[in-house]
Amino acid sequence: GAVVSQHPSRVICKSGTSVKIECRSLDFQATTMFWYRQFPKKSLMLMATSNEGSKATYEQGVEKDKFLINHASLTLSTLTVTSAHPEDSSFYICSARDRQPPVETYEQYFGPGTRLTVT
Amino acid sequence: LAKTTQPISMDSYEGQEVNITCSHNNIATNDYITWYQQFPSQGPRFIIQGYKTKVTNEVASLFIPADRKSSTLSLPRVSLSDTAVYYCLVGDWFSGGYNKLIFGAGTRLAVHP
């Protein structure tokens, strides 16, 4: 099946610094990627939809100036957490939808996640 | 986007069949039903997807009644490695839009020896 990778898998940063997380579709093209965050024992919360070549669409309550999303190509989207604070510590997961999925397959592929810890 | 309701948790034993039911009363005509599995500190993994009646693959079956207001994920002969959170999602996969997925609380399945 299609593979989505994330880098880094875990990162620790100091409060006030910025962190960039990459999401790549390895063997397919994705015009749309999604970013989620997940707190311990909680469900995934959609943060934003990343569209190749255009501005991201953010869900209500998600600060677009704090969570910068760039979808520069059909295989790469990045999430930058700016001026990170301890409350931004979370598990960040991306997903991607195949631009040209196989017939009868309407699946979104998820990355392995990135564990962010802000100290 | 149709809202889904699932049991918060379930317990089972190795070798048993597990059925997890999801309620989606306001499912739309174009909506498909998709189930994902998630292990701790991993991204969700696709299990199965269906529109109506029954769908079966190598890991699970999905039963959808005629009114499509609910669906049941069936896991045959579970093992300890099936301990995970299972999410039922409903969405329009054909609209050509970006088909965002909204996750509910999921069902935390614990399989015991």
Side-chain angles (χ1 to χ4, degrees), chain B residues 16-93:
Chain B
Q16 289 189 334
E17 177 185 76
V18 171
N19 295 308
I20 306 174
T21 297
C22 178
S23 172
H24 28 80
N25 290 319
N26 58 341
I27 188 170
T29 302
N30 290 338
D31 286 346
Y32 268 58
I33 300 154
T34 311
W35 286 79
Y36 281 84
Q37 175 193 56
Q38 187 184 28
F39 298 111
S41 296
Q42 294 186 26
R45 183 177 75 102
F46 175 89
I47 301 175
I48 198 166
Q49 184 180 73
Y51 183 80
K52 62 180 179 180
T53 63
K54 177 183 175 182
V55 180
T56 297
N57 61 22
E58 61 274 10
V59 298
S61 295
L62 178 60
F63 298 92
I64 305 169
D67 65 6
R68 303 200 326 121
K69 292 184 182 300
S70 66
S71 59
T72 298
L73 173 72
S74 181
L75 305 172
R77 298 181 298 281
V78 294
S79 64
L80 296 177
S81 62
D82 292 317
T83 294
V85 179
Y86 293 82
Y87 294 98
C88 162
L89 296 103
V90 172
D92 179 1
W93 298 84

